[in-house]
Amino acid sequence: MIIPWQQISPETLENLIETFVLREGTDYGEQERSLTEKVADVRRQLERGEVVIVWSELHETINILPRSEFRG
């Protein structure tokens, strides 16, 4: 189930994005980016609808996925 990011409190959304960014361990090439920059990138992707916040009832987990990968 997609959870609209606009319905999540700002503090909770920030924590969710930070947890996602830290968990992903993404590689940004030669130039490392700060946590703040990575969080801002994910927030912009949410705002543009490129990624969605997904709740899995089966696994009782929440995740951020590219919209193209979400299968409802």
Side-chain angles (χ1 to χ4, degrees), residues 11-43:
E11 183 179 335
T12 300
L13 181 61
E14 185 78 11
N15 290 335
L16 175 65
I17 295 171
E18 281 185 16
T19 300
F20 171 76
V21 167
L22 292 171
R23 180 180 66 217
E24 289 302 302
T26 53
D27 180 14
Y28 286 86
E30 291 180 25
Q31 200 172 55
E32 185 58 34
R33 306 205 45 196
S34 71
L35 176 61
T36 302
E37 291 171 318
K38 293 174 186 178
V39 168
D41 288 344
V42 173
R43 182 180 294 277

mmCIF file of all heavy atoms in Angstrom, residues 11-43:
data_model
loop_
_atom_site.group_PDB
_atom_site.id
_atom_site.type_symbol
_atom_site.label_atom_id
_atom_site.label_comp_id
_atom_site.label_asym_id
_atom_site.label_seq_id
_atom_site.Cartn_x
_atom_site.Cartn_y
_atom_site.Cartn_z
ATOM 1 N N GLU A 11 8.543 15.437 10.945
ATOM 2 C CA GLU A 11 9.605 14.787 11.719
ATOM 3 C C GLU A 11 9.707 13.300 11.378
ATOM 4 O O GLU A 11 10.794 12.763 11.193
ATOM 5 C CB GLU A 11 9.348 14.966 13.209
ATOM 6 C CG GLU A 11 10.439 14.374 14.075
ATOM 7 C CD GLU A 11 10.173 14.575 15.564
ATOM 8 O OE1 GLU A 11 9.457 15.526 15.927
ATOM 9 O OE2 GLU A 11 10.693 13.764 16.337
ATOM 10 N N THR A 12 8.570 12.644 11.282
ATOM 11 C CA THR A 12 8.553 11.215 10.942
ATOM 12 C C THR A 12 9.084 10.998 9.534
ATOM 13 O O THR A 12 9.868 10.073 9.294
ATOM 14 C CB THR A 12 7.126 10.649 11.079
ATOM 15 O OG1 THR A 12 6.693 10.831 12.430
ATOM 16 C CG2 THR A 12 7.076 9.180 10.717
ATOM 17 N N LEU A 13 8.678 11.855 8.609
ATOM 18 C CA LEU A 13 9.156 11.735 7.227
ATOM 19 C C LEU A 13 10.667 11.894 7.161
ATOM 20 O O LEU A 13 11.358 11.116 6.491
ATOM 21 C CB LEU A 13 8.462 12.768 6.335
ATOM 22 C CG LEU A 13 8.849 12.738 4.864
ATOM 23 C CD1 LEU A 13 8.503 11.389 4.225
ATOM 24 C CD2 LEU A 13 8.155 13.876 4.114
ATOM 25 N N GLU A 14 11.187 12.883 7.871
ATOM 26 C CA GLU A 14 12.632 13.105 7.902
ATOM 27 C C GLU A 14 13.356 11.865 8.437
ATOM 28 O O GLU A 14 14.346 11.409 7.865
ATOM 29 C CB GLU A 14 12.945 14.325 8.778
ATOM 30 C CG GLU A 14 14.398 14.722 8.790
ATOM 31 C CD GLU A 14 14.818 15.493 7.550
ATOM 32 O OE1 GLU A 14 13.978 15.908 6.748
ATOM 33 O OE2 GLU A 14 16.046 15.668 7.390
ATOM 34 N N ASN A 15 12.859 11.302 9.533
ATOM 35 C CA ASN A 15 13.469 10.097 10.109
ATOM 36 C C ASN A 15 13.382 8.915 9.160
ATOM 37 O O ASN A 15 14.331 8.129 9.040
ATOM 38 C CB ASN A 15 12.808 9.756 11.445
ATOM 39 C CG ASN A 15 13.149 10.749 12.537
ATOM 40 O OD1 ASN A 15 14.183 11.408 12.494
ATOM 41 N ND2 ASN A 15 12.267 10.883 13.502
ATOM 42 N N LEU A 16 12.258 8.765 8.492
ATOM 43 C CA LEU A 16 12.073 7.676 7.542
ATOM 44 C C LEU A 16 13.068 7.786 6.389
ATOM 45 O O LEU A 16 13.721 6.801 6.016
ATOM 46 C CB LEU A 16 10.640 7.692 7.008
ATOM 47 C CG LEU A 16 10.313 6.696 5.913
ATOM 48 C CD1 LEU A 16 10.427 5.271 6.422
ATOM 49 C CD2 LEU A 16 8.921 6.951 5.378
ATOM 50 N N ILE A 17 13.206 8.987 5.849
ATOM 51 C CA ILE A 17 14.142 9.185 4.742
ATOM 52 C C ILE A 17 15.579 8.949 5.207
ATOM 53 O O ILE A 17 16.359 8.293 4.508
ATOM 54 C CB ILE A 17 13.975 10.584 4.119
ATOM 55 C CG1 ILE A 17 12.590 10.719 3.473
ATOM 56 C CG2 ILE A 17 15.059 10.846 3.077
ATOM 57 C CD1 ILE A 17 12.253 12.135 3.020
ATOM 58 N N GLU A 18 15.938 9.473 6.374
ATOM 59 C CA GLU A 18 17.295 9.260 6.890
ATOM 60 C C GLU A 18 17.595 7.775 7.061
ATOM 61 O O GLU A 18 18.669 7.301 6.685
ATOM 62 C CB GLU A 18 17.485 9.972 8.232
ATOM 63 C CG GLU A 18 17.737 11.436 8.113
ATOM 64 C CD GLU A 18 18.036 12.086 9.448
ATOM 65 O OE1 GLU A 18 18.350 11.366 10.431
ATOM 66 O OE2 GLU A 18 17.960 13.323 9.510
ATOM 67 N N THR A 19 16.649 7.046 7.633
ATOM 68 C CA THR A 19 16.833 5.602 7.826
ATOM 69 C C THR A 19 17.016 4.907 6.490
ATOM 70 O O THR A 19 17.888 4.051 6.329
ATOM 71 C CB THR A 19 15.627 5.009 8.582
ATOM 72 O OG1 THR A 19 15.527 5.650 9.855
ATOM 73 C CG2 THR A 19 15.777 3.511 8.777
ATOM 74 N N PHE A 20 16.216 5.282 5.510
ATOM 75 C CA PHE A 20 16.319 4.703 4.175
ATOM 76 C C PHE A 20 17.693 4.983 3.567
ATOM 77 O O PHE A 20 18.353 4.083 3.060
ATOM 78 C CB PHE A 20 15.212 5.269 3.278
ATOM 79 C CG PHE A 20 15.366 4.905 1.833
ATOM 80 C CD1 PHE A 20 15.047 3.639 1.385
ATOM 81 C CD2 PHE A 20 15.827 5.836 0.912
ATOM 82 C CE1 PHE A 20 15.192 3.300 0.044
ATOM 83 C CE2 PHE A 20 15.971 5.512 -0.417
ATOM 84 C CZ PHE A 20 15.655 4.241 -0.859
ATOM 85 N N VAL A 21 18.129 6.221 3.631
ATOM 86 C CA VAL A 21 19.417 6.607 3.036
ATOM 87 C C VAL A 21 20.561 5.861 3.712
ATOM 88 O O VAL A 21 21.460 5.341 3.032
ATOM 89 C CB VAL A 21 19.620 8.142 3.131
ATOM 90 C CG1 VAL A 21 21.056 8.519 2.817
ATOM 91 C CG2 VAL A 21 18.656 8.864 2.205
ATOM 92 N N LEU A 22 20.528 5.774 5.033
ATOM 93 C CA LEU A 22 21.598 5.079 5.746
ATOM 94 C C LEU A 22 21.580 3.577 5.472
ATOM 95 O O LEU A 22 22.622 2.939 5.370
ATOM 96 C CB LEU A 22 21.480 5.338 7.252
ATOM 97 C CG LEU A 22 21.760 6.777 7.673
ATOM 98 C CD1 LEU A 22 21.397 6.979 9.138
ATOM 99 C CD2 LEU A 22 23.214 7.143 7.411
ATOM 100 N N ARG A 23 20.404 3.010 5.310
ATOM 101 C CA ARG A 23 20.263 1.575 5.052
ATOM 102 C C ARG A 23 20.716 1.209 3.650
ATOM 103 O O ARG A 23 21.320 0.163 3.433
ATOM 104 C CB ARG A 23 18.802 1.184 5.241
ATOM 105 C CG ARG A 23 18.514 -0.276 5.005
ATOM 106 C CD ARG A 23 17.060 -0.600 5.210
ATOM 107 N NE ARG A 23 16.255 0.068 4.208
ATOM 108 C CZ ARG A 23 15.055 0.579 4.430
ATOM 109 N NH1 ARG A 23 14.508 0.532 5.613
ATOM 110 N NH2 ARG A 23 14.390 1.157 3.458
ATOM 111 N N GLU A 24 20.452 2.084 2.696
ATOM 112 C CA GLU A 24 20.763 1.781 1.304
ATOM 113 C C GLU A 24 22.255 1.719 1.026
ATOM 114 O O GLU A 24 22.682 0.989 0.162
ATOM 115 C CB GLU A 24 20.106 2.818 0.373
ATOM 116 C CG GLU A 24 18.609 2.683 0.301
ATOM 117 C CD GLU A 24 18.166 1.303 -0.159
ATOM 118 O OE1 GLU A 24 18.559 0.864 -1.257
ATOM 119 O OE2 GLU A 24 17.430 0.658 0.589
ATOM 120 N N GLY A 25 23.045 2.523 1.718
ATOM 121 C CA GLY A 25 24.484 2.505 1.484
ATOM 122 C C GLY A 25 24.834 2.839 0.048
ATOM 123 O O GLY A 25 25.686 2.209 -0.560
ATOM 124 N N THR A 26 24.159 3.829 -0.509
ATOM 125 C CA THR A 26 24.354 4.172 -1.917
ATOM 126 C C THR A 26 25.743 4.730 -2.169
ATOM 127 O O THR A 26 26.354 5.354 -1.309
ATOM 128 C CB THR A 26 23.301 5.199 -2.369
ATOM 129 O OG1 THR A 26 23.329 6.291 -1.466
ATOM 130 C CG2 THR A 26 21.923 4.589 -2.399
ATOM 131 N N ASP A 27 26.220 4.518 -3.371
ATOM 132 C CA ASP A 27 27.522 4.993 -3.805
ATOM 133 C C ASP A 27 27.310 6.162 -4.749
ATOM 134 O O ASP A 27 26.605 6.047 -5.745
ATOM 135 C CB ASP A 27 28.283 3.859 -4.505
ATOM 136 C CG ASP A 27 29.644 4.287 -4.985
ATOM 137 O OD1 ASP A 27 30.128 5.351 -4.568
ATOM 138 O OD2 ASP A 27 30.231 3.547 -5.798
ATOM 139 N N TYR A 28 27.916 7.283 -4.424
ATOM 140 C CA TYR A 28 27.755 8.473 -5.243
ATOM 141 C C TYR A 28 28.994 8.771 -6.075
ATOM 142 O O TYR A 28 29.200 9.894 -6.503
ATOM 143 C CB TYR A 28 27.396 9.674 -4.355
ATOM 144 C CG TYR A 28 25.982 9.598 -3.867
ATOM 145 C CD1 TYR A 28 25.644 8.889 -2.719
ATOM 146 C CD2 TYR A 28 24.960 10.214 -4.568
ATOM 147 C CE1 TYR A 28 24.343 8.811 -2.285
ATOM 148 C CE2 TYR A 28 23.652 10.142 -4.133
ATOM 149 C CZ TYR A 28 23.349 9.441 -2.992
ATOM 150 O OH TYR A 28 22.048 9.361 -2.562
ATOM 151 N N GLY A 29 29.824 7.768 -6.295
ATOM 152 C CA GLY A 29 30.998 7.961 -7.146
ATOM 153 C C GLY A 29 32.146 8.604 -6.396
ATOM 154 O O GLY A 29 32.315 8.413 -5.200
ATOM 155 N N GLU A 30 32.923 9.383 -7.124
ATOM 156 C CA GLU A 30 34.127 9.975 -6.549
ATOM 157 C C GLU A 30 33.813 11.025 -5.490
ATOM 158 O O GLU A 30 34.588 11.229 -4.564
ATOM 159 C CB GLU A 30 34.968 10.618 -7.654
ATOM 160 C CG GLU A 30 35.591 9.612 -8.591
ATOM 161 C CD GLU A 30 36.419 10.281 -9.667
ATOM 162 O OE1 GLU A 30 36.894 11.411 -9.442
ATOM 163 O OE2 GLU A 30 36.586 9.681 -10.720
ATOM 164 N N GLN A 31 32.699 11.704 -5.648
ATOM 165 C CA GLN A 31 32.373 12.790 -4.728
ATOM 166 C C GLN A 31 31.318 12.319 -3.726
ATOM 167 O O GLN A 31 30.176 12.067 -4.094
ATOM 168 C CB GLN A 31 31.848 13.985 -5.521
ATOM 169 C CG GLN A 31 31.936 15.278 -4.788
ATOM 170 C CD GLN A 31 31.576 16.421 -5.708
ATOM 171 O OE1 GLN A 31 30.511 16.421 -6.306
ATOM 172 N NE2 GLN A 31 32.471 17.385 -5.816
ATOM 173 N N GLU A 32 31.724 12.195 -2.459
ATOM 174 C CA GLU A 32 30.795 11.748 -1.420
ATOM 175 C C GLU A 32 29.835 12.872 -1.079
ATOM 176 O O GLU A 32 30.184 14.036 -1.104
ATOM 177 C CB GLU A 32 31.575 11.318 -0.170
ATOM 178 C CG GLU A 32 30.714 10.724 0.909
ATOM 179 C CD GLU A 32 29.911 9.507 0.480
ATOM 180 O OE1 GLU A 32 30.404 8.732 -0.351
ATOM 181 O OE2 GLU A 32 28.784 9.341 0.975
ATOM 182 N N ARG A 33 28.603 12.512 -0.766
ATOM 183 C CA ARG A 33 27.571 13.486 -0.424
ATOM 184 C C ARG A 33 27.211 13.324 1.044
ATOM 185 O O ARG A 33 27.220 12.231 1.573
ATOM 186 C CB ARG A 33 26.350 13.242 -1.295
ATOM 187 C CG ARG A 33 26.778 13.241 -2.759
ATOM 188 C CD ARG A 33 25.768 13.579 -3.721
ATOM 189 N NE ARG A 33 25.010 14.749 -3.275
ATOM 190 C CZ ARG A 33 23.868 15.100 -3.782
ATOM 191 N NH1 ARG A 33 23.352 14.396 -4.737
ATOM 192 N NH2 ARG A 33 23.224 16.147 -3.352
ATOM 193 N N SER A 34 26.839 14.425 1.663
ATOM 194 C CA SER A 34 26.474 14.400 3.081
ATOM 195 C C SER A 34 25.098 13.758 3.250
ATOM 196 O O SER A 34 24.311 13.658 2.297
ATOM 197 C CB SER A 34 26.448 15.818 3.651
ATOM 198 O OG SER A 34 25.335 16.530 3.128
ATOM 199 N N LEU A 35 24.806 13.350 4.475
ATOM 200 C CA LEU A 35 23.494 12.786 4.788
ATOM 201 C C LEU A 35 22.398 13.795 4.449
ATOM 202 O O LEU A 35 21.375 13.437 3.869
ATOM 203 C CB LEU A 35 23.429 12.391 6.266
ATOM 204 C CG LEU A 35 22.080 11.869 6.759
ATOM 205 C CD1 LEU A 35 21.675 10.609 6.015
ATOM 206 C CD2 LEU A 35 22.127 11.624 8.262
ATOM 207 N N THR A 36 22.631 15.051 4.769
ATOM 208 C CA THR A 36 21.649 16.100 4.487
ATOM 209 C C THR A 36 21.356 16.190 2.994
ATOM 210 O O THR A 36 20.190 16.316 2.582
ATOM 211 C CB THR A 36 22.160 17.460 5.012
ATOM 212 O OG1 THR A 36 22.408 17.345 6.413
ATOM 213 C CG2 THR A 36 21.167 18.566 4.752
ATOM 214 N N GLU A 37 22.395 16.112 2.167
ATOM 215 C CA GLU A 37 22.213 16.176 0.709
ATOM 216 C C GLU A 37 21.448 14.953 0.198
ATOM 217 O O GLU A 37 20.570 15.079 -0.659
ATOM 218 C CB GLU A 37 23.565 16.269 0.008
ATOM 219 C CG GLU A 37 24.272 17.586 0.233
ATOM 220 C CD GLU A 37 25.702 17.573 -0.277
ATOM 221 O OE1 GLU A 37 26.416 16.556 -0.077
ATOM 222 O OE2 GLU A 37 26.111 18.590 -0.863
ATOM 223 N N LYS A 38 21.778 13.786 0.729
ATOM 224 C CA LYS A 38 21.100 12.563 0.309
ATOM 225 C C LYS A 38 19.623 12.596 0.698
ATOM 226 O O LYS A 38 18.753 12.200 -0.090
ATOM 227 C CB LYS A 38 21.786 11.337 0.917
ATOM 228 C CG LYS A 38 23.184 11.099 0.385
ATOM 229 C CD LYS A 38 23.860 9.956 1.129
ATOM 230 C CE LYS A 38 25.297 9.781 0.724
ATOM 231 N NZ LYS A 38 25.953 8.705 1.471
ATOM 232 N N VAL A 39 19.332 13.064 1.905
ATOM 233 C CA VAL A 39 17.943 13.173 2.361
ATOM 234 C C VAL A 39 17.184 14.149 1.467
ATOM 235 O O VAL A 39 16.050 13.879 1.055
ATOM 236 C CB VAL A 39 17.890 13.592 3.846
ATOM 237 C CG1 VAL A 39 16.485 14.003 4.254
ATOM 238 C CG2 VAL A 39 18.396 12.460 4.729
ATOM 239 N N ALA A 40 17.798 15.268 1.142
ATOM 240 C CA ALA A 40 17.162 16.257 0.266
ATOM 241 C C ALA A 40 16.879 15.660 -1.118
ATOM 242 O O ALA A 40 15.822 15.933 -1.708
ATOM 243 C CB ALA A 40 18.042 17.502 0.144
ATOM 244 N N ASP A 41 17.799 14.841 -1.627
ATOM 245 C CA ASP A 41 17.589 14.181 -2.929
ATOM 246 C C ASP A 41 16.357 13.282 -2.888
ATOM 247 O O ASP A 41 15.522 13.314 -3.802
ATOM 248 C CB ASP A 41 18.809 13.337 -3.321
ATOM 249 C CG ASP A 41 20.009 14.169 -3.727
ATOM 250 O OD1 ASP A 41 19.850 15.375 -4.000
ATOM 251 O OD2 ASP A 41 21.116 13.594 -3.759
ATOM 252 N N VAL A 42 16.243 12.474 -1.839
ATOM 253 C CA VAL A 42 15.103 11.555 -1.721
ATOM 254 C C VAL A 42 13.802 12.352 -1.552
ATOM 255 O O VAL A 42 12.783 12.030 -2.161
ATOM 256 C CB VAL A 42 15.302 10.547 -0.565
ATOM 257 C CG1 VAL A 42 14.045 9.716 -0.347
ATOM 258 C CG2 VAL A 42 16.498 9.644 -0.855
ATOM 259 N N ARG A 43 13.850 13.419 -0.779
ATOM 260 C CA ARG A 43 12.661 14.255 -0.586
ATOM 261 C C ARG A 43 12.194 14.824 -1.938
ATOM 262 O O ARG A 43 11.006 14.822 -2.246
ATOM 263 C CB ARG A 43 12.941 15.378 0.391
ATOM 264 C CG ARG A 43 11.716 16.241 0.665
ATOM 265 C CD ARG A 43 12.013 17.346 1.649
ATOM 266 N NE ARG A 43 12.332 16.853 2.960
ATOM 267 C CZ ARG A 43 11.424 16.518 3.870
ATOM 268 N NH1 ARG A 43 10.150 16.614 3.593
ATOM 269 N NH2 ARG A 43 11.808 16.089 5.059
#
